[in-house]
Every structure is written in structure tokens, then in C-alpha cells.
Amino acid sequence: MDHERDEALLAAHIAGAPGAFDHLVRRYADELYAFFARFVGNRTAADDLVQDTFLQVHLAAGSFDPERTFKPWLYTIAANKARDFMRARRRRPAQSLDQAAGDPDGPSPAALLEADSPAVSENSETDEQRRRVQAVVAAMPEHLQLILVLGYYQKLPYAEIANVLDIPVGTVKSRLHSAVKQFAQLWLAENPTSVE
Amino acid sequence: MSDFSERDFDARLLDLHLGHLSRAEEAELRAKIESEPALVEQDRALTSVFTALRAVPTEAAPRDLAGRVSQRVREAGPVPRVVRPTDQWTAALEERPERIIQLGSLRDVIGIAAIVVLAIGLGVPGLMHARERSDRLACTRNLQMLGTGVQQYASTFGSSLPFAGFAQAGNSWLPSDDPQITTVPNRRHVFLLLRRNFVRDPRVFVCPSQHDVPMPMDAVAQRSDFLEPRNVSYAYQNMAGVRPSPKRDAADLPILSDDNPLFADGLPLFDARRLGIGDPAQSNSHAHRSAGQNILTLDGRVKWTTTPNSGVNGDNIWTLEDVDEYTGQEGPSKSTDAHLLK
């Protein structure tokens, strides 16, 4: 089953074959986690969003068009989940650590901060560079962040991104061009010595 | 140093850095870069940009993530079955196969039905009524299929009904001559059903009682709206305000219907009041000889009504509450206010 196509695995899952969906999850969980971690910048949220995405795929599997390709469909759902999360986060008022500490339903923000802190690195300069890059990306408009993550970090081909975002391939190219250009402007403005 | 605030970079350089060029294309571009100082500068700046982007490593997923996902999916039960109208008919025949034996093959059944319809049509002066009934039934089936598409769409997109976006600032669902205003007809939202394959046949969007024509299938892929207004006969809930949610809102909220008689091609006809023609808001759709209209509600049911006051608690489905003059930016202010238009 390891070599089965995604669409065949999903069809098998719809037909009730045990283990078929587990293969899909194992195939894409790491990739989706990396996508969410980069786009929303939060490991705890990335973990939740991977679960929500696969659950949505399971619930909507009956409506999947077998003539379509699975991966862009998966990313369409993932991108929607990510955008919903970002919008909900923007709407939520800022909380103090003390206010939320009494929340019985989940970990405190302090605990989340700890969970989301980057792994301890021996190279603090690299960590500082990573932190500054993330801050610059986070300052970009959401649609440019999304296409940068899909096009550069996730390495999706232009045609797949077009399918995921439901936009023409030409728009994918121009939008990715704008994203890189805007990142370059922001990055070089803050780091003028980064180009020899 | 290249200044990206004033200058751009060659689009092929982006393809090069993203690895989208073939070896031959890459070699050709590298040779060109060496011969053009401007490209050298752009390439150097882009290299520094992508070096910076590489500083963000790939986050490794927790080892138990896949296991937890699988567990959660198992707890959710089997894949929910999506019921399509054709499935319902097939299931009915599977339950009582003797019906097929009694009536013969499906072709025989269709033949008999056609003869009966023909005999009635030729034999009695009610030909027009029979035709209208047939069209009305076909219209009902269209709305049922659109309803199935809407439910599948909502199931895929987190209970959101088809919505192609609308910004109050600068957008109008009414045609506008103002160059500052972008006309974004309400039908764009329902076009998503066709564009994203939730409804695959453009004929489903055309009521047989109307002189509309289906959109050519080969034009669908590259567009964000129907080619022309007559590619869709049905009015959809105005998405410029509060948007309905199947999870949250009343099951009997109308979301699709035969066309709104007050907004022909988007233009409001309220001026009819000045001509003393009663209250146009009480007119039925013109689709079925103004006898009534088919309405699809949020829970997927299709009903025939003979009055436009068929929304939640008798709400008029052609108008917005508390709005007399329409500029094209108004939308429902509450989830029980239906306002159906193309």
C-alpha cells in the first residue's frame, strides 16, 4: 500500500479499507506540519491544524472528485484552515499571561510560549537570523506569506499552487514575484549589509 | 547593492532560484547573467534574499502526530456518505427491484412517459400547462442538484457557503458606471460551484422556463464569473452582508431561487412604484409565468411557493429589511434576512 497513489488510498478509505487513511496521514503529516509551522508560526497551532485538516479530509472524502488530484485538494483545505486560524487570531484580543492562567481547558500562554520556543541551538547567531527572517515574513500581507510558503518552502509547482488557490498560473507567478520582491525590500531595508 | 524599492528583478531569475528551469534553460540564463551587469547585480541580491529565507529551518513534526491524527479520524467514524439525487433514485430501485420488472426497462419507462406527456399535450388545450409543469419539475431538480453542490461545498470549506469575496469599499453588486467602483455581481459566488466541480453540468444553472443558455464548459476553467448573465437563471443569497452558515442558521432560510423580479440583470425595478403598479416587491419571479417560484432552503429542501413572503417568519425574499434605495453595497444585516439576486 506504500506505493499506492493518493487518490487510490482515499478511494480505499471511502470504501472502508482499514489502514488506507493511515498511509495518507503518514505520507503528508510531516509536510503539512512544516507548512503550518511556517505559516502560522506556532507549533501548538500547527499540531492542531494538521489534525483538523485530516479530520476535514475524512469528513469531506465522500465529496472528493476522483478526477482531481488529492494533494492540491489537501492543501486547499489546509490553506483554508490556516487562513481561518490567522483571522481568528487577529480578532482575539490580547491576553495577559495572568488572565489566561486560570483557564481550566488548556495550557497557559506561558506554557505555550515555552512549547513554541525554538529548539535550543548552539549557534545563537543563526537563531537570531531565523528570528529576524520570521519577523519580516510575518510583516507581509497574508496572501503573499501564503504563496511564499507554498512556492518556496513547500516547493509546490506553479500549477499545483494555482489549483490550491484557485487562481491562474500567471497570477501565481506574478504573486510569488511580488512576495519575493516585498520580502527583499523589507529584508534589505533592515539588513543593508547582507548583500556584498 | 540592488535596491528593490526602486528596481525590479528579472522574472526568470525567480524561476532560476526556485529551481523551475530545465538544465538547458538554466545554462542559457547563467550565460546571459555573466554578460549583463544588471542581471549580475539582481542575481546577487536575490541570492542574499534566498540565503536569508533558508535561515528558517523545516520544523520537524512530533513523532506521535500521525498516530494521534489517525486515532482522531477513527473516533470520527466512517466517511459520511454524500447523497446525490441520482443515488436516491438508484437506492429506491434497489430496494424494490420489482418495479423495474413490472414496468420493463428504463428505456420503456421513459418511452411510456414521453407518450403520455405527448398525448396529453396534443389532446387537451392544457398543453402549455403541462409544459410549464414539466419545466417547473426540471427547475426543481436543478435546484436540488445545486443544493447538493452547496452542501458538498460547505462540507469541504468549513460550513461556508460559496463565497467569492466582497469588499464593501469599492465593490458593488449592482452595475456601476463609476470608475472607482468595481462591479462584482452576486452570481460570482454561485459560479464557484461550477468552477470547483461541485456541480459539473452548466445546464443545471439554467431554468428550462427561461431563455437562458448554459455556459460553455471549456470557458469555465479560466474564469471567476459566468460568461454572461444568461448563463445562470437562479438568484443566490446576497453575500455582501451576514453570510449564512448551515451549522448556525435557520434551516428554512432561502438561499437560491428562481430569479428576483425586482433586479433584472442586477438593476432594481423599484421605479415601477412610480407608475402605480402596486407593490412590485410582492411579485412572483417571472420564470414560471409569475405563478410562483422554486426556492432552495439552507437544509437542501426545494419548495414551490406562490408568494415572495416565503423566508424565515414570512420574510420577503426579494428585498432587504429596512432598505428602500439600493446602491449595490447593501447586504443582510441578520442571518434571517433573505435577499436573493443574480
Side-chain angles (χ1 to χ4, degrees):
Chain A
M1 209 176 257
D2 282 341
H3 302 293
E4 284 280 7
R5 289 173 58 244
D6 298 339
E7 297 74 23
L9 285 172
L10 190 65
H13 175 60
I14 294 168
F21 201 76
D22 296 344
H23 273 80
L24 279 176
V25 172
R26 282 199 294 275
R27 197 172 282 178
Y28 285 108
D30 288 357
E31 186 177 331
L32 276 192
Y33 182 84
F35 163 69
F36 284 125
R38 282 205 170 96
F39 189 54
V40 306
N42 181 309
R43 292 178 184 175
T44 310
D47 193 297
D48 289 344
L49 288 167
V50 171
Q51 294 187 47
D52 290 349
T53 299
F54 278 112
L55 190 61
Q56 184 69 45
V57 167
H58 166 72
L59 294 174
S63 65
F64 177 70
D65 179 357
E67 290 175 10
R68 285 185 68 183
T69 313
F70 173 76
K71 188 175 174 183
W73 185 60
L74 173 70
Y75 266 95
T76 300
I77 292 174
N80 284 331
K81 293 279 178 200
R83 282 186 289 225
D84 287 349
F85 174 84
M86 299 285 268
R87 283 165 198 161
R89 186 163 66 180
R90 278 197 293 273
R91 282 197 299 269
R92 275 197 299 269
Q95 287 181 314
S96 79
L97 296 183
D98 292 339
Q99 276 175 328
D103 179 4
D105 297 327
S108 70
L112 290 179
L113 278 175
E114 192 176 338
D116 281 320
S117 61
V120 176
S121 165
E122 292 178 358
N123 189 343
S124 60
E125 197 176 322
T126 309
D127 283 347
E128 174 59 16
Q129 173 93 335
R130 175 189 54 74
R131 194 189 57 72
R132 282 189 290 137
V133 170
Q134 285 176 320
V136 169
V137 173
M140 293 164 56
E142 184 184 287
H143 68 291
L144 296 186
Q145 285 182 49
L146 179 59
I147 204 145
L148 188 64
V149 173
L150 293 174
Y152 176 66
Y153 288 115
Q154 300 302 115
K155 302 193 186 313
L156 294 192
Y158 292 145
E160 272 191 17
I161 299 175
N163 207 340
V164 169
L165 301 179
D166 198 21
I167 55 178
V169 170
T171 308
V172 172
K173 290 181 182 177
S174 60
R175 195 178 288 181
L176 192 52
H177 188 110
S178 301
V180 171
K181 186 178 170 187
Q182 184 164 126
F183 176 82
Q185 287 171 348
L186 295 169
W187 177 252
L188 296 176
E190 288 194 11
N191 305 273
T193 59
S194 63
V195 180
E196 295 294 324
Chain B
M1 188 192 80
S2 181
D3 182 356
F4 279 95
S5 63
E6 293 175 2
R7 294 163 58 179
D8 208 340
F9 58 85
D10 193 301
R12 289 165 304 165
L13 287 176
L14 184 59
D15 288 335
L16 174 69
H17 283 272
L18 291 175
H20 289 313
L21 296 182
S22 66
R23 282 188 180 178
E25 290 169 332
E26 185 177 339
E28 186 186 344
L29 183 56
R30 289 206 183 280
K32 193 169 183 184
I33 290 171
E34 285 178 10
S35 64
E36 290 186 27
L39 283 181
V40 171
E41 198 180 354
Q42 290 173 20
D43 183 49
R44 193 179 299 151
L46 270 183
T47 301
S48 79
V49 164
F50 281 103
T51 302
L53 284 170
R54 272 197 295 277
V56 181
T58 301
E59 292 280 0
R63 286 184 181 176
D64 62 343
L65 177 59
R68 282 186 281 121
V69 170
S70 295
Q71 178 63 30
R72 202 169 155 197
V73 168
R74 270 194 291 277
E75 287 169 2
V79 175
R81 184 157 179 259
V82 175
V83 180
R84 299 179 173 88
T86 47
D87 294 341
Q88 291 171 337
W89 301 330
T90 311
L93 286 176
E94 281 172 357
E95 280 175 16
R96 297 190 60 189
E98 71 276 11
R99 283 186 175 182
I100 301 176
I101 297 164
Q102 285 167 3
L103 293 173
S105 69
L106 185 60
R107 188 179 295 177
D108 294 339
V109 173
I110 293 171
I112 291 167
I115 291 168
V116 169
V117 169
L118 198 63
I120 292 173
L122 290 174
V124 296
L127 170 65
M128 299 303 285
H129 292 293
R131 173 80 179 270
E132 171 52 29
R133 273 199 300 274
S134 161
D135 288 348
R136 198 186 296 173
L137 277 175
C139 175
T140 302
R141 281 197 294 276
N142 281 352
L143 281 172
Q144 281 171 340
M145 281 188 263
L146 291 174
T148 304
V150 167
Q151 290 188 337
Q152 289 174 8
Y153 186 100
S155 161
T156 303
F157 293 103
S159 292
S160 167
L161 261 56
F163 176 57
F166 185 88
Q168 243 77 21
N171 279 357
S172 166
W173 44 259
L174 281 175
S176 172
D177 296 329
D178 185 342
Q180 304 297 319
I181 299 289
T182 305
T183 303
V184 284
N186 198 52
R187 59 174 181 266
R188 287 166 65 254
H189 308 301
V190 84
F191 178 71
L192 287 176
L193 293 177
L194 188 59
R195 176 76 176 80
R196 294 185 170 172
N197 282 328
F198 289 98
V199 175
R200 295 187 195 171
D201 188 346
R203 289 174 296 182
V204 174
F205 293 83
V206 173
C207 173
S209 293
Q210 297 286 76
H211 297 295
D212 293 329
V213 292
M215 181 169 175
M217 198 61 206
D218 56 5
V220 171
Q222 298 302 321
R223 294 189 57 86
S224 58
D225 188 6
F226 291 95
L227 265 180
E228 48 185 331
R230 62 182 186 149
N231 292 149
V232 57
S233 307
Y234 299 108
Y236 182 55
Q237 171 68 347
N238 180 341
M239 299 296 270
V242 174
R243 298 192 292 277
S245 163
K247 274 187 182 172
R248 185 189 62 220
D249 295 326
D252 58 344
L253 177 73
I255 57 170
L256 265 168
S257 74
D258 285 306
D259 196 14
N260 187 329
L262 305 183
F263 292 84
D265 290 337
L267 291 168
L269 299 180
F270 277 90
D271 282 353
R273 280 177 179 161
R274 294 176 194 151
L275 302 173
I277 309 176
D279 183 0
Q282 289 303 319
S283 304
N284 286 315
S285 173
H286 298 156
H288 301 283
R289 300 170 185 274
S290 298
Q293 48 275 318
N294 279 314
I295 296 176
L296 170 73
T297 51
L298 193 54
D299 59 356
R301 285 182 300 117
V302 177
K303 60 184 179 183
W304 169 258
T305 71
T306 53
T307 166
N309 304 320
S310 305
V312 179
N313 300 324
D315 172 51
N316 187 304
I317 61 175
W318 306 142
T319 60
L320 283 169
E321 286 182 25
D322 305 323
V323 177
D324 290 325
E325 298 292 334
Y326 291 83
T327 65
Q329 296 183 324
E330 302 81 3
S333 58
K334 53 187 179 183
S335 59
T336 53
D337 189 8
H339 182 217
L340 306 174
L341 73 162
K342 270 167 67 173

